Amino acid sequence: MRSAVRRAALRPWIACLLAGALGLALVLRHEVRQRYLELPFRPPSLPARLIELPSLPAAPGQLSGRNLLLVTLDTTRLDRIGVFGNRDIQSPNLDRLALEGVVFSQALATAPTTLPSHASIFTGLYPPRHGARANGVFSLSRDPRTLAESLSAEGYVTAAVVSSFVLNSKFGLARGFDLYDDETELDVPRERLRDPERPADQTTDRALEWIGSQTRAPFFLWVHYYDPHAEYQPPSPFDERYRDNLYDGEIAFVDAQLGRLLRGLEELDRAEDTLVAVVADHGESLGDHGEATHGFLLHEATQRVPLVLHGAGLRGGVHVTERVSQVDLMPTLLSLLGAPVPKGLDGRDLTQPAEPLREVYTETLQGSIEYGWAPLRALYLGKHKYIAGPYPELYDLERDPLEQRNLYTSQPALAKPLAAQLEARSASDPEIPDTRMQLDAEEMARLESLGYRVGTSNSPGTHASRVNPKSMLPVLWRVQSLALQAGSEIPTSEAIAALEEITRTHTDFVPAASLLADLQREQGDREAAEATLRRVLQASGRAPATVIQLANLLAERGAHEEAISQLSALVRSQPQRFDARYHLGLLLIARGRYAEAADHLRAAYDINPNDASLHAPFRQAMRRSGRGAEFRALVRSER
């Protein structure tokens, strides 16, 4: 009983603070169904009957006037698809497209997160140039011309059906689309943290409905499938068929829906005049290099992605061995369709001869955004891959495709020019306007329910002196495990001791300190909990959720004025934070300061009028401050 009460009390704080690439909310549910998968990345093994070629066997304009169906697969790892060597899965539709079309085995994501990689697919630019460098924090810069805009200018009718809030139109990818269907509703109580996503069958329904409504050609349709993203919950019969590997089950389900989409094209007599392109935004680590899901590291498990082109008039049965990037997709598709290719792209037209010593770039800011860890950047050149960070890494991918032997220390002469090239590339990136977003509380909840925590360290930064994400992933997992097990599988006192040790070593790691403070408070030691929170606030730069946690603790022991002062300072620095306004309003009501409370709760209402917990205190504060008529008029206007 006490454990259940404790978890209920922890939910608003810990679910927020531990929401990382795989937050506590996912852990609590995912652990019940299956332990984390541990599937190290394997180099793909394609069928021998495919003809190996160094570049795409096609010419510019070869498919002029064709329709374009672009399918993006979220979180789909290359080696978990059947045609790439996974014998444990049935993926007949992806396999058929690859065997009948052109398949790329060396395609790379520009980032291991959804928005940055999709922005690269649609602009032909790397993240530093298109601006959408992390989910929920940035949007696409206004300047880049998108694939949809280019095709729209050529007379294409355009539509998108996306399956996750991460790709909501507010993040900038809707430009150029006549229809942008991003209706993914949070349809259950927020406390359950249900992913705001649309399952693949519903996405396919919408896509087929739109295709069937088109009476003229050509069209461009983008279909985005989100399902393989954690947590893995494929529907029947895939949940039973793949009960020992639900991740593969999700991919198999998406493959089945892709098959339904392709059959729909055929039934509508649109298949022969449609170029189909299928690409993943990134992969999934599944324990590779110590990462449970994706976002923090730049190893092949998340960076190598499936890429397939298929269509009548395109030579089939071809395996392209050239290393390519997602930035190449936009110029290549435009070229094949006979449309002008914008100048100054990072990507190249793959109908042109291969470039053997071409540089390919990738990055991640996710650790920096969520926890203030160091950003990572990587450069591929020839057979080598260099990862820049606090502890640089150098791999010979030809001899060591699993990235098990870091050559940075043993071969500094080889690493030095690669590091210099990476720095030169970064220095040459043009400055773009600040594209950071301001999200309201409901939008923040949607992102966090998808596993992406929007923290206080929302500056990209490049300081190699910051904490190495790879060294912190075991710490994050340990904190998540303690949150799950404390009071049930292990004594609370033991969990407190373990967290005290973690916070001594990692003084600014907010998730550890926040959980420690909650457990100390549960044990009745409010003084220790308060000291823990003050220490981490001093070290971490005042994480907003921790300020609120401290303010509520102060209020519990009667220090109302200091609690109000803490929240007032937070509101001054971040006036759009719903939770700060809400909790400050509650404290002011408790002190009888109704006029001030009404101002803050009115601001909270403007940010998120749909939060049910706000309505009663807002009504009370407005009525007690003589603003009852204003409240009634406001509520009537919203009906």
Side-chain angles (χ1 to χ4, degrees):
M1 179 65 180
R2 290 179 69 249
S3 178
V5 171
R6 179 182 65 78
R7 285 180 182 168
L10 287 179
R11 184 176 288 137
W13 306 111
I14 305 305
C16 174
L17 290 166
L18 294 181
L22 190 66
L24 178 64
L26 299 184
V27 174
L28 289 172
R29 292 177 293 161
H30 193 62
E31 283 284 329
V32 172
R33 304 199 61 180
Q34 68 178 67
R35 292 287 175 180
Y36 285 131
L37 296 170
E38 291 198 11
L39 295 171
F41 179 77
R42 298 176 299 184
S45 174
L46 285 157
R49 68 176 182 270
L50 291 174
I51 301 170
E52 288 193 3
L53 294 176
S55 60
L56 177 65
Q62 186 167 315
L63 303 179
S64 291
R66 299 290 177 89
N67 305 313
L68 174 61
L69 171 61
L70 172 62
V71 178
T72 59
L73 310 174
D74 214 291
T75 323
T76 300
R77 200 169 92 177
L78 179 74
D79 65 336
R80 302 313 304 167
I81 297 172
V83 74
F84 289 99
N86 183 11
R87 297 181 180 180
D88 298 326
I89 195 173
Q90 293 180 356
S91 52
N93 298 292
L94 286 167
D95 296 350
R96 179 178 67 83
L97 289 177
L99 294 172
E100 295 179 358
V102 180
V103 59
F104 296 78
S105 61
Q106 295 276 351
L108 294 169
T110 61
T113 45
T114 299
L115 179 64
S117 57
H118 276 89
S120 289
I121 290 168
F122 275 90
T123 65
L125 300 174
Y126 288 122
R129 293 188 61 200
H130 63 55
R133 301 182 73 178
N135 293 340
V137 179
F138 300 94
S139 65
L140 180 66
S141 173
R142 296 188 185 92
D143 294 333
R145 186 179 179 87
T146 68
L147 176 61
E149 288 175 313
S150 293
L151 290 177
S152 180
E154 295 299 305
Y156 278 70
V157 59
T158 59
V161 185
V162 303
S163 302
S164 170
F165 175 71
V166 176
L167 297 177
N168 186 273
S169 60
K170 74 180 300 163
F171 299 116
L173 291 183
R175 295 207 307 261
F177 284 105
D178 301 316
L179 169 71
Y180 196 85
D181 184 346
D182 59 356
E183 295 178 7
T184 54
E185 297 301 325
L186 195 66
D187 57 1
V188 295
R190 184 182 305 169
E191 302 83 54
R192 289 177 55 191
L193 294 175
R194 171 76 176 272
D195 291 359
E197 63 174 283
R198 178 162 47 196
D201 53 346
Q202 294 181 24
T203 296
T204 303
D205 289 344
R206 297 286 188 97
L208 288 173
E209 180 182 354
W210 184 84
I211 295 171
S213 71
Q214 299 311 301
T215 57
R216 66 182 180 89
F219 67 74
F220 166 39
L221 173 63
W222 168 34
V223 178
H224 164 249
Y225 291 121
Y226 187 75
D227 302 72
H229 198 287
E231 96 187 77
Y232 317 126
Q233 291 183 313
S236 179
F238 301 94
D239 55 348
E240 284 299 316
R241 189 178 300 161
Y242 296 93
R243 58 182 175 272
D244 295 326
N245 185 338
L246 295 177
Y247 175 71
D248 278 10
E250 290 277 31
I251 295 175
F253 170 55
V254 168
D255 181 86
Q257 293 305 312
L258 173 62
R260 192 161 72 89
L261 179 62
L262 296 174
R263 286 193 299 275
L265 269 181
E266 294 170 356
E267 291 167 3
L268 293 166
D269 199 26
R270 308 305 295 265
E272 286 298 312
D273 60 352
T274 299
L275 168 62
V276 178
V278 180
V279 64
D281 63 346
H282 55 77
E284 189 82 316
S285 284
L286 302 177
D288 192 79
H289 288 267
E291 186 175 34
T293 55
H294 62 272
F296 294 131
L297 303 182
L298 294 177
H299 292 291
E300 299 298 90
T302 59
Q303 298 313 111
R304 292 277 288 278
V305 294
L307 171 59
V308 177
L309 301 179
H310 181 280
L314 194 65
R315 181 178 177 183
V318 171
H319 167 203
V320 175
T321 57
E322 176 188 6
R323 178 181 292 139
V324 300
S325 168
Q326 289 170 335
V327 296
D328 300 329
L329 201 52
M330 176 199 185
T332 301
L333 294 175
L334 290 175
S335 176
L336 286 171
L337 296 172
V341 178
K343 303 294 185 183
L345 301 182
D346 293 319
R348 72 176 204 84
D349 176 2
L350 296 179
T351 66
Q352 302 303 309
E355 298 177 8
L357 290 178
R358 177 195 180 194
E359 297 178 3
V360 176
Y361 173 84
T362 184
E363 71 172 29
T364 178
L365 303 188
Q366 206 62 41
S368 177
I369 295 299
E370 295 192 15
Y371 300 116
W373 299 341
L376 298 180
R377 297 170 295 147
L379 188 72
Y380 291 77
L381 183 62
K383 66 178 183 177
H384 291 105
K385 174 182 179 180
Y386 173 75
I387 303 176
Y391 299 98
E393 299 171 67
L394 176 67
Y395 299 102
D396 181 337
L397 294 177
E398 191 174 281
R399 295 184 178 181
D400 179 26
L402 302 183
E403 301 171 288
Q404 298 298 307
R405 297 184 295 277
N406 183 2
L407 304 176
Y408 179 77
T409 302
S410 62
Q411 298 192 29
L414 180 58
K416 187 175 181 180
L418 291 172
Q421 284 173 268
L422 187 55
E423 289 305 315
R425 166 180 286 277
S426 298
S428 66
D429 286 333
E431 288 194 14
I432 63 173
D434 191 344
T435 59
R436 279 176 286 190
M437 302 285 292
Q438 285 287 341
L439 302 183
D440 64 29
E442 184 174 356
E443 292 165 339
M444 294 271 286
R446 288 185 173 198
L447 275 176
E448 287 170 350
S449 74
L450 293 169
Y452 297 106
R453 175 177 175 265
V454 181
T456 57
S457 303
N458 59 353
S459 172
T462 56
H463 302 295
S465 60
R466 290 187 184 178
V467 176
N468 183 26
K470 185 177 285 190
S471 68
M472 287 302 297
L473 288 177
V475 180
L476 177 60
W477 168 240
R478 176 62 172 150
V479 174
Q480 291 171 333
S481 298
L482 289 168
L484 175 66
Q485 297 170 346
S488 55
E489 297 182 34
I490 64 174
T492 300
S493 58
E494 187 176 320
I496 288 174
L499 289 163
E500 286 175 338
E501 178 61 30
I502 292 172
T503 56
R504 276 194 292 271
T505 306
H506 306 285
T507 57
D508 62 348
F509 192 41
V510 171
S514 180
L515 178 59
L516 173 59
D518 272 303
L519 294 180
Q520 289 168 330
R521 173 182 171 276
E522 179 196 317
Q523 295 293 90
D525 195 349
R526 286 189 172 85
E527 185 177 339
E530 184 178 323
T532 296
L533 294 175
R534 291 187 188 278
R535 281 196 304 272
V536 75
L537 285 173
Q538 185 175 8
S540 68
R542 295 182 61 79
T546 310
V547 173
I548 298 170
Q549 188 178 9
L550 175 61
N552 279 274
L553 187 62
L554 290 168
E556 281 184 11
R557 71 168 175 84
H560 295 96
E561 293 307 315
E562 185 184 355
I564 290 171
S565 176
Q566 290 277 356
L567 290 175
S568 296
L570 177 57
V571 165
R572 285 193 296 272
S573 64
Q574 298 192 35
Q576 290 301 111
R577 281 201 70 101
F578 172 90
D579 51 1
R581 294 278 194 181
Y582 172 74
H583 286 279
L584 179 55
L586 295 185
L587 285 176
L588 289 167
I589 287 175
R591 302 300 290 165
R593 295 160 62 173
Y594 296 108
E596 295 171 77
D599 288 339
H600 288 291
L601 294 176
R602 172 60 199 265
Y605 184 86
D606 290 339
I607 295 167
N608 183 16
N610 298 318
D611 193 301
S613 64
L614 171 66
H615 296 164
F618 182 29
R619 179 174 61 249
Q620 179 188 8
M622 294 290 278
R623 181 173 57 82
R624 295 293 294 270
S625 62
R627 297 167 64 181
E630 178 187 343
F631 175 80
R632 290 189 294 273
L634 180 65
V635 172
R636 281 196 300 270
S637 69
E638 294 290 339
R639 288 175 181 170

